[in-house]
Amino acid sequence: MSSNAASPMSSFASSSAGRGCGKLTSFVPELQSMMFALGDARRPLHETAALVEDIVHTQLINLLQQAAEVSQLRGARVISTEDILFLMRKDKKKIRRLLKYMFFRDCKSKILKSIDDEEALETDKFSSSSVNKRQKLAHDFLSSIDQTGEFLALFDDDDIDEVKQERLERAEKQTRMMDCAHYTEFCESRQLSFSKKASKFREWLDCSSLEVKPNAVAMEILSYLAYETVAQLVDLALLVKQDMTAKAGDPFSHAISATFIQYHNATAEAHLHGLSVAVKSNIDSPENTPPSTPTTPASGPQSQGKSHSGTLGNGGLGHNSSSKAKQRKRKKNAAACGLEAQSDAIQPAHIREAIRRYSHKSAYHRNGMTFLAC
Protein backbone atom coordinates (compact mmCIF):
# COMPACT_ATOMS: atom_id res chain seq x y z
CA MET A 1 0.00 0.00 0.00
CA SER A 2 1.17 3.46 -0.79
CA SER A 3 2.41 5.52 2.10
CA ASN A 4 2.95 8.85 0.37
CA ALA A 5 0.52 11.49 1.60
CA ALA A 6 -0.27 14.05 -1.05
CA SER A 7 -1.48 17.49 -0.10
CA PRO A 8 -5.25 17.90 -0.18
CA MET A 9 -5.38 20.80 -2.61
CA SER A 10 -2.89 19.31 -5.07
CA SER A 11 -4.70 16.00 -5.17
CA PHE A 12 -8.05 17.70 -5.70
CA ALA A 13 -6.65 19.92 -8.42
CA SER A 14 -5.14 16.98 -10.28
CA SER A 15 -8.36 15.05 -9.98
CA SER A 16 -10.37 17.96 -11.34
CA ALA A 17 -8.01 18.38 -14.26
CA GLY A 18 -8.03 14.68 -15.03
CA ARG A 19 -11.79 14.39 -14.93
CA GLY A 20 -12.35 17.56 -16.91
CA CYS A 21 -10.84 16.06 -20.05
CA GLY A 22 -13.34 13.29 -20.53
CA LYS A 23 -15.95 13.73 -17.83
CA LEU A 24 -19.28 12.34 -18.97
CA THR A 25 -21.07 11.81 -15.67
CA SER A 26 -21.71 14.53 -13.14
CA PHE A 27 -23.38 14.49 -9.74
CA VAL A 28 -23.43 18.28 -9.33
CA PRO A 29 -27.26 18.64 -9.44
CA GLU A 30 -27.69 15.81 -6.95
CA LEU A 31 -24.92 17.23 -4.76
CA GLN A 32 -26.64 20.60 -4.65
CA SER A 33 -29.78 18.93 -3.31
CA MET A 34 -27.76 16.87 -0.82
CA MET A 35 -25.94 19.97 0.42
CA PHE A 36 -29.26 21.77 0.88
CA ALA A 37 -30.56 18.86 2.96
CA LEU A 38 -27.37 18.87 5.03
CA GLY A 39 -27.56 22.54 6.01
CA ASP A 40 -26.55 24.64 3.00
CA ALA A 41 -28.74 27.32 1.44
CA ARG A 42 -31.78 26.40 -0.61
CA ARG A 43 -29.83 27.04 -3.82
CA PRO A 44 -26.24 25.91 -3.22
CA LEU A 45 -23.63 27.40 -5.53
CA HIS A 46 -22.78 25.38 -8.62
CA GLU A 47 -19.04 26.00 -8.23
CA THR A 48 -19.17 24.80 -4.61
CA ALA A 49 -20.98 21.62 -5.59
CA ALA A 50 -18.47 21.04 -8.40
CA LEU A 51 -15.60 21.39 -5.91
CA VAL A 52 -17.29 18.96 -3.52
CA GLU A 53 -17.76 16.53 -6.41
CA ASP A 54 -14.04 16.62 -7.21
CA ILE A 55 -13.13 16.07 -3.57
CA VAL A 56 -15.49 13.13 -3.14
CA HIS A 57 -14.38 11.59 -6.41
CA THR A 58 -10.72 11.91 -5.44
CA GLN A 59 -11.31 10.29 -2.06
CA LEU A 60 -13.25 7.35 -3.49
CA ILE A 61 -10.67 6.71 -6.20
CA ASN A 62 -7.94 6.67 -3.54
CA LEU A 63 -10.03 4.30 -1.47
CA LEU A 64 -10.66 2.00 -4.43
CA GLN A 65 -6.97 1.89 -5.29
CA GLN A 66 -5.94 0.94 -1.76
CA ALA A 67 -8.79 -1.54 -1.42
CA ALA A 68 -7.66 -3.17 -4.67
CA GLU A 69 -4.16 -3.55 -3.23
CA VAL A 70 -5.55 -5.17 -0.09
CA SER A 71 -7.74 -7.46 -2.18
CA GLN A 72 -4.80 -8.62 -4.28
CA LEU A 73 -2.69 -9.24 -1.19
CA ARG A 74 -5.27 -11.68 0.15
CA GLY A 75 -5.70 -13.32 -3.26
CA ALA A 76 -9.25 -12.15 -3.96
CA ARG A 77 -10.62 -11.35 -7.39
CA VAL A 78 -12.96 -8.55 -6.34
CA ILE A 79 -13.02 -5.72 -3.83
CA SER A 80 -15.32 -6.74 -1.02
CA THR A 81 -16.52 -5.57 2.38
CA GLU A 82 -13.45 -6.99 4.11
CA ASP A 83 -11.06 -4.79 2.12
CA ILE A 84 -12.88 -1.57 2.98
CA LEU A 85 -13.29 -2.49 6.64
CA PHE A 86 -9.57 -3.21 6.83
CA LEU A 87 -8.80 0.32 5.61
CA MET A 88 -11.23 1.76 8.17
CA ARG A 89 -9.97 -0.28 11.11
CA LYS A 90 -8.25 2.70 12.79
CA ASP A 91 -11.43 4.71 13.19
CA LYS A 92 -13.89 2.75 15.32
CA LYS A 93 -16.47 5.53 15.44
CA LYS A 94 -16.86 5.49 11.70
CA ILE A 95 -16.91 1.70 11.65
CA ARG A 96 -19.76 1.80 14.17
CA ARG A 97 -21.61 4.23 11.94
CA LEU A 98 -21.07 1.95 8.93
CA LEU A 99 -22.29 -1.08 10.88
CA LYS A 100 -25.52 0.72 11.69
CA TYR A 101 -25.96 1.54 8.03
CA MET A 102 -25.44 -2.11 7.12
CA PHE A 103 -27.96 -3.09 9.80
CA PHE A 104 -30.62 -0.84 8.28
CA ARG A 105 -29.86 -2.17 4.81
CA ASP A 106 -30.45 -5.69 6.10
CA CYS A 107 -33.72 -4.56 7.68
CA LYS A 108 -34.79 -3.11 4.36
CA SER A 109 -33.99 -6.41 2.65
CA LYS A 110 -36.04 -8.28 5.25
CA ILE A 111 -39.06 -6.00 4.75
CA LEU A 112 -38.88 -6.27 0.99
CA LYS A 113 -38.61 -10.03 1.21
CA SER A 114 -41.61 -10.27 3.49
CA ILE A 115 -43.74 -8.12 1.15
CA ASP A 116 -42.93 -9.86 -2.10
CA ASP A 117 -40.08 -12.32 -2.63
CA GLU A 118 -39.81 -11.66 -6.35
CA GLU A 119 -39.82 -7.89 -5.92
CA ALA A 120 -37.25 -8.22 -3.15
CA LEU A 121 -34.95 -10.24 -5.37
CA GLU A 122 -35.10 -7.56 -8.06
CA THR A 123 -34.69 -4.66 -5.66
CA ASP A 124 -32.05 -6.09 -3.35
CA LYS A 125 -29.64 -8.72 -4.57
CA PHE A 126 -28.64 -9.90 -1.11
CA SER A 127 -31.97 -10.86 0.39
CA SER A 128 -32.07 -14.31 -1.22
CA SER A 129 -29.39 -16.06 0.81
CA SER A 130 -29.65 -14.29 4.15
CA VAL A 131 -31.51 -11.26 5.41
CA ASN A 132 -28.49 -10.35 7.58
CA LYS A 133 -25.79 -11.01 5.04
CA ARG A 134 -24.11 -7.62 5.35
CA GLN A 135 -23.86 -7.82 9.11
CA LYS A 136 -22.58 -11.37 8.94
CA LEU A 137 -19.82 -10.40 6.49
CA ALA A 138 -18.72 -7.54 8.74
CA HIS A 139 -18.96 -9.64 11.92
CA ASP A 140 -16.91 -12.52 10.50
CA PHE A 141 -14.12 -10.26 9.28
CA LEU A 142 -13.92 -7.97 12.31
CA SER A 143 -13.86 -10.97 14.66
CA SER A 144 -10.90 -12.36 12.72
CA ILE A 145 -8.79 -9.23 13.32
CA ASP A 146 -10.16 -8.32 16.74
CA GLN A 147 -7.54 -8.90 19.47
CA THR A 148 -9.16 -6.88 22.25
CA GLY A 149 -12.89 -7.31 21.63
CA GLU A 150 -13.35 -3.65 20.71
CA PHE A 151 -14.66 -4.36 17.22
CA LEU A 152 -17.22 -6.92 18.35
CA ALA A 153 -18.43 -4.51 21.02
CA LEU A 154 -19.41 -2.10 18.27
CA PHE A 155 -22.25 -4.40 17.20
CA ASP A 156 -23.94 -3.90 20.60
CA ASP A 157 -23.07 -0.21 20.99
CA ASP A 158 -26.28 1.82 21.30
CA ASP A 159 -24.69 5.13 22.25
CA ILE A 160 -26.04 8.25 20.58
CA ASP A 161 -24.01 9.36 17.59
CA GLU A 162 -23.20 12.99 18.42
CA VAL A 163 -22.45 13.87 14.81
CA LYS A 164 -25.74 12.44 13.56
CA GLN A 165 -27.60 14.10 16.42
CA GLU A 166 -26.12 17.48 15.59
CA ARG A 167 -27.15 17.08 11.95
CA LEU A 168 -30.70 16.21 12.98
CA GLU A 169 -30.90 19.25 15.25
CA ARG A 170 -29.60 21.47 12.46
CA ALA A 171 -32.19 20.05 10.06
CA GLU A 172 -34.94 20.68 12.59
CA LYS A 173 -33.90 24.32 13.00
CA GLN A 174 -33.61 24.64 9.25
CA THR A 175 -37.25 23.63 8.72
CA ARG A 176 -38.87 25.89 11.34
CA MET A 177 -39.53 28.79 8.98
CA MET A 178 -40.24 26.77 5.81
CA ASP A 179 -43.52 26.90 3.94
CA CYS A 180 -45.13 23.80 2.42
CA ALA A 181 -43.34 24.04 -0.92
CA HIS A 182 -39.98 24.68 0.69
CA TYR A 183 -40.44 21.82 3.15
CA THR A 184 -41.48 19.41 0.37
CA GLU A 185 -38.32 20.27 -1.55
CA PHE A 186 -36.28 19.78 1.61
CA CYS A 187 -37.79 16.33 2.25
CA GLU A 188 -37.10 15.24 -1.32
CA SER A 189 -33.52 16.43 -0.99
CA ARG A 190 -33.06 14.42 2.22
CA GLN A 191 -34.03 11.26 0.38
CA LEU A 192 -31.32 11.66 -2.25
CA SER A 193 -28.26 9.42 -2.05
CA PHE A 194 -25.64 7.89 -4.29
CA SER A 195 -27.05 4.42 -3.70
CA LYS A 196 -30.33 5.34 -5.37
CA LYS A 197 -28.43 5.96 -8.60
CA ALA A 198 -26.24 2.88 -8.53
CA SER A 199 -25.57 2.62 -12.26
CA LYS A 200 -24.68 6.31 -12.54
CA PHE A 201 -22.51 6.02 -9.45
CA ARG A 202 -20.61 3.06 -10.93
CA GLU A 203 -20.13 4.95 -14.18
CA TRP A 204 -18.98 8.03 -12.24
CA LEU A 205 -16.25 5.98 -10.57
CA ASP A 206 -15.39 4.35 -13.91
CA CYS A 207 -15.46 0.90 -12.34
CA SER A 208 -15.37 -0.79 -15.75
CA SER A 209 -11.74 0.30 -16.20
CA LEU A 210 -10.59 -1.20 -12.88
CA GLU A 211 -8.64 -4.45 -12.90
CA VAL A 212 -10.12 -5.48 -9.56
CA LYS A 213 -13.75 -4.40 -9.44
CA PRO A 214 -15.87 -3.90 -6.31
CA ASN A 215 -18.73 -6.29 -5.75
CA ALA A 216 -22.30 -5.16 -5.11
CA VAL A 217 -21.98 -4.92 -1.31
CA ALA A 218 -18.77 -2.93 -1.65
CA MET A 219 -20.55 -0.53 -4.02
CA GLU A 220 -23.20 0.00 -1.37
CA ILE A 221 -20.53 0.87 1.16
CA LEU A 222 -18.80 3.20 -1.30
CA SER A 223 -22.06 5.04 -1.97
CA TYR A 224 -22.57 5.41 1.78
CA LEU A 225 -19.04 6.72 2.28
CA ALA A 226 -19.50 9.18 -0.59
CA TYR A 227 -22.56 10.66 1.12
CA GLU A 228 -20.75 10.77 4.47
CA THR A 229 -17.90 12.65 2.81
CA VAL A 230 -20.34 15.25 1.50
CA ALA A 231 -21.93 15.50 4.95
CA GLN A 232 -18.60 16.04 6.69
CA LEU A 233 -17.54 18.65 4.15
CA VAL A 234 -20.78 20.56 4.77
CA ASP A 235 -20.38 20.20 8.56
CA LEU A 236 -16.88 21.69 8.56
CA ALA A 237 -17.65 24.30 5.90
CA LEU A 238 -20.50 25.61 8.06
CA LEU A 239 -18.07 25.97 10.95
CA VAL A 240 -15.65 27.89 8.75
CA LYS A 241 -18.49 30.03 7.40
CA GLN A 242 -19.51 30.88 10.94
CA ASP A 243 -15.95 31.87 11.83
CA MET A 244 -15.60 34.04 8.73
CA THR A 245 -18.90 35.86 9.23
CA ALA A 246 -18.32 39.33 10.67
CA LYS A 247 -19.98 39.74 14.05
CA ALA A 248 -21.41 43.05 15.33
CA GLY A 249 -19.16 44.57 17.95
CA ASP A 250 -16.26 42.26 17.15
CA PRO A 251 -13.08 44.39 16.84
CA PHE A 252 -11.49 41.71 14.65
CA SER A 253 -14.40 41.37 12.22
CA HIS A 254 -12.85 43.97 9.89
CA ALA A 255 -9.63 41.96 9.57
CA ILE A 256 -11.52 38.68 9.18
CA SER A 257 -13.61 40.13 6.38
CA ALA A 258 -10.55 41.40 4.53
CA THR A 259 -8.81 38.06 4.93
CA PHE A 260 -11.83 36.21 3.59
CA ILE A 261 -12.15 38.44 0.52
CA GLN A 262 -8.46 37.98 -0.26
CA TYR A 263 -8.65 34.21 0.22
CA HIS A 264 -11.83 34.00 -1.85
CA ASN A 265 -10.59 36.00 -4.84
CA ALA A 266 -6.90 35.10 -4.97
CA THR A 267 -5.18 31.80 -5.59
CA ALA A 268 -3.52 29.85 -2.83
CA GLU A 269 -0.11 30.93 -4.08
CA ALA A 270 -0.99 34.62 -3.86
CA HIS A 271 -2.42 34.05 -0.42
CA LEU A 272 0.93 32.79 0.85
CA HIS A 273 2.56 36.15 0.10
CA GLY A 274 0.78 37.62 3.11
CA LEU A 275 -2.51 39.07 4.20
CA SER A 276 -1.26 42.65 4.08
CA VAL A 277 -2.42 42.99 0.48
CA ALA A 278 -5.97 42.18 1.53
CA VAL A 279 -5.95 44.79 4.27
CA LYS A 280 -4.50 47.48 2.02
CA SER A 281 -6.96 46.72 -0.76
CA ASN A 282 -9.93 47.16 1.56
CA ILE A 283 -12.02 50.22 0.76
CA ASP A 284 -12.37 51.20 4.40
CA SER A 285 -8.67 51.09 5.22
CA PRO A 286 -7.01 54.40 6.26
CA GLU A 287 -4.78 54.44 3.20
CA ASN A 288 -7.74 54.52 0.83
CA THR A 289 -9.83 57.05 2.79
CA PRO A 290 -10.70 59.94 0.42
CA PRO A 291 -9.74 63.52 1.43
CA SER A 292 -12.30 65.50 3.36
CA THR A 293 -14.52 67.95 1.47
CA PRO A 294 -13.03 71.48 1.60
CA THR A 295 -15.01 74.04 3.59
CA THR A 296 -15.92 77.59 2.56
CA PRO A 297 -12.80 79.77 2.89
CA ALA A 298 -12.94 82.22 5.80
CA SER A 299 -12.11 85.90 5.48
CA GLY A 300 -8.80 87.17 6.66
CA PRO A 301 -5.16 87.03 5.64
CA GLN A 302 -4.80 83.45 6.78
CA SER A 303 -7.41 82.32 4.29
CA GLN A 304 -5.76 83.91 1.26
CA GLY A 305 -3.55 80.92 0.62
CA LYS A 306 -6.49 78.56 0.84
CA SER A 307 -8.66 80.66 -1.44
CA HIS A 308 -5.83 80.93 -3.90
CA SER A 309 -5.42 77.16 -4.01
CA GLY A 310 -9.18 76.80 -4.41
CA THR A 311 -9.29 79.34 -7.28
CA LEU A 312 -6.69 77.59 -9.39
CA GLY A 313 -9.59 76.98 -11.71
CA ASN A 314 -12.52 74.68 -11.73
CA GLY A 315 -10.04 71.87 -11.73
CA GLY A 316 -10.11 71.82 -7.94
CA LEU A 317 -13.85 71.28 -7.79
CA GLY A 318 -13.68 68.92 -10.75
CA HIS A 319 -11.04 66.89 -8.98
CA ASN A 320 -13.28 66.55 -5.92
CA SER A 321 -16.28 65.46 -7.98
CA SER A 322 -14.10 63.04 -9.91
CA SER A 323 -12.78 61.64 -6.65
CA LYS A 324 -16.32 61.16 -5.36
CA ALA A 325 -17.32 59.40 -8.57
CA LYS A 326 -14.36 57.06 -8.32
CA GLN A 327 -15.20 56.45 -4.68
CA ARG A 328 -18.78 55.51 -5.56
CA LYS A 329 -17.52 53.26 -8.35
CA ARG A 330 -15.11 51.52 -6.00
CA LYS A 331 -17.89 50.99 -3.46
CA LYS A 332 -20.14 49.47 -6.12
CA ASN A 333 -17.37 47.13 -7.25
CA ALA A 334 -16.63 46.16 -3.66
CA ALA A 335 -20.31 45.48 -3.07
CA ALA A 336 -20.48 43.32 -6.17
CA CYS A 337 -17.39 41.36 -5.13
CA GLY A 338 -18.64 41.01 -1.59
CA LEU A 339 -22.14 39.91 -2.62
CA GLU A 340 -21.06 36.32 -3.11
CA ALA A 341 -18.98 36.38 0.08
CA GLN A 342 -21.96 37.57 2.09
CA SER A 343 -24.32 35.01 0.58
CA ASP A 344 -25.96 32.44 2.80
CA ALA A 345 -24.69 29.64 0.58
CA ILE A 346 -21.45 27.82 1.32
CA GLN A 347 -18.64 29.31 -0.78
CA PRO A 348 -15.80 27.36 -2.41
CA ALA A 349 -13.45 29.24 -0.08
CA HIS A 350 -15.26 27.71 2.91
CA ILE A 351 -14.62 24.21 1.55
CA ARG A 352 -10.95 24.92 0.86
CA GLU A 353 -10.44 26.46 4.28
CA ALA A 354 -12.14 23.47 5.92
CA ILE A 355 -9.73 21.15 4.14
CA ARG A 356 -6.77 23.28 5.15
CA ARG A 357 -7.83 23.35 8.80
CA TYR A 358 -9.02 19.82 9.38
CA SER A 359 -7.38 17.51 6.84
CA HIS A 360 -4.39 16.79 9.08
CA LYS A 361 -6.75 15.35 11.72
CA SER A 362 -7.87 12.52 9.47
CA ALA A 363 -6.81 9.03 10.49
CA TYR A 364 -6.00 8.28 6.86
CA HIS A 365 -3.44 11.05 6.31
CA ARG A 366 -0.48 8.66 6.39
CA ASN A 367 -2.01 6.57 3.64
CA GLY A 368 -2.43 9.57 1.37
CA MET A 369 -6.17 9.78 2.09
CA THR A 370 -6.03 13.18 3.68
CA PHE A 371 -9.71 13.99 4.06
CA LEU A 372 -11.73 10.80 3.74
CA ALA A 373 -14.90 10.92 5.81
CA CYS A 374 -15.34 7.20 6.26
Side-chain angles (χ1 to χ4, degrees), residues 26-35 192 194 197 200:
S26 174
F27 269 99
V28 169
E30 292 86 351
L31 282 169
Q32 287 178 298
S33 296
M34 293 179 194
M35 292 171 64
L192 274 178
F194 293 94
K197 299 195 174 184
K200 181 179 180 180

Side-chain angles (χ1 to χ4, degrees), residues 41-269:
R42 187 175 185 179
R43 297 290 181 264
L45 298 179
H46 182 276
E47 53 268 31
T48 306
L51 177 61
V52 171
E53 182 186 30
D54 284 331
I55 294 173
V56 175
H57 186 268
T58 300
Q59 298 297 324
L60 292 182
I61 292 300
N62 288 341
L63 177 62
L64 276 172
Q65 291 174 351
Q66 297 193 37
E69 294 178 7
V70 175
S71 178
Q72 291 175 343
L73 287 175
R74 65 185 184 89
R77 297 182 179 179
V78 295
I79 298 174
S80 61
T81 305
E82 294 87 341
D83 305 313
I84 300 177
L85 286 174
F86 178 78
L87 293 175
M88 296 177 60
R89 68 192 185 279
K90 295 182 180 179
D91 198 329
K92 296 180 177 61
K93 290 184 178 180
K94 292 176 182 178
I95 288 183
R96 182 186 66 176
R97 198 173 297 159
L98 176 60
L99 292 177
K100 288 187 177 180
Y101 170 78
M102 298 173 77
F103 168 76
F104 286 118
R105 291 291 299 185
D106 284 335
C107 289
K108 178 182 177 181
S109 299
K110 187 185 299 184
I111 294 173
L112 291 174
K113 184 177 177 62
S114 63
I115 294 175
D116 188 350
D117 289 341
E118 294 182 359
E119 183 181 352
L121 287 172
E122 294 175 359
T123 307
D124 196 312
K125 299 179 181 179
F126 316 109
S127 56
S128 57
S129 59
S130 173
V131 292
N132 293 323
K133 181 174 182 178
R134 299 171 184 81
Q135 284 183 289
K136 187 177 185 305
L137 288 173
H139 186 278
D140 292 344
F141 173 73
L142 291 177
S143 61
S144 67
I145 64 172
D146 193 3
Q147 303 295 328
T148 60
E150 293 178 338
F151 288 123
L152 294 180
L154 296 176
F155 287 90
D156 300 326
D157 191 350
D158 295 330
D159 292 342
I160 296 177
D161 191 330
E162 296 180 358
V163 175
K164 295 287 187 181
Q165 185 67 24
E166 183 177 349
R167 292 173 186 169
L168 291 175
E169 293 176 359
R170 186 169 63 221
E172 191 274 330
K173 294 178 182 178
Q174 194 174 356
T175 58
R176 288 179 182 177
M177 303 300 294
M178 291 183 180
D179 54 20
C180 292
H182 195 176
Y183 184 73
T184 301
E185 181 182 351
F186 179 78
C187 293
E188 292 175 353
S189 298
R190 280 179 61 85
Q191 297 175 21
L192 274 178
S193 65
F194 293 94
S195 61
K196 291 189 175 181
K197 299 195 174 184
S199 59
K200 181 179 180 180
F201 183 66
R202 183 178 288 271
E203 180 182 354
W204 184 61
L205 294 179
D206 197 15
C207 294
S208 59
S209 64
L210 299 175
E211 296 182 2
V212 182
K213 299 177 175 58
N215 61 18
V217 183
M219 287 301 300
E220 279 187 358
I221 297 177
L222 288 173
S223 63
Y224 164 78
L225 296 180
Y227 188 86
E228 280 296 305
T229 306
V230 177
Q232 186 173 0
L233 283 170
V234 172
D235 291 343
L236 299 179
L238 289 174
L239 291 177
V240 172
K241 180 174 177 289
Q242 182 179 359
D243 291 343
M244 287 183 170
T245 302
K247 300 179 179 62
D250 185 0
F252 297 101
S253 61
H254 176 81
I256 294 174
S257 176
T259 303
F260 172 74
I261 293 174
Q262 169 68 10
Y263 187 81
H264 179 72
N265 294 331
T267 61
E269 181 179 357

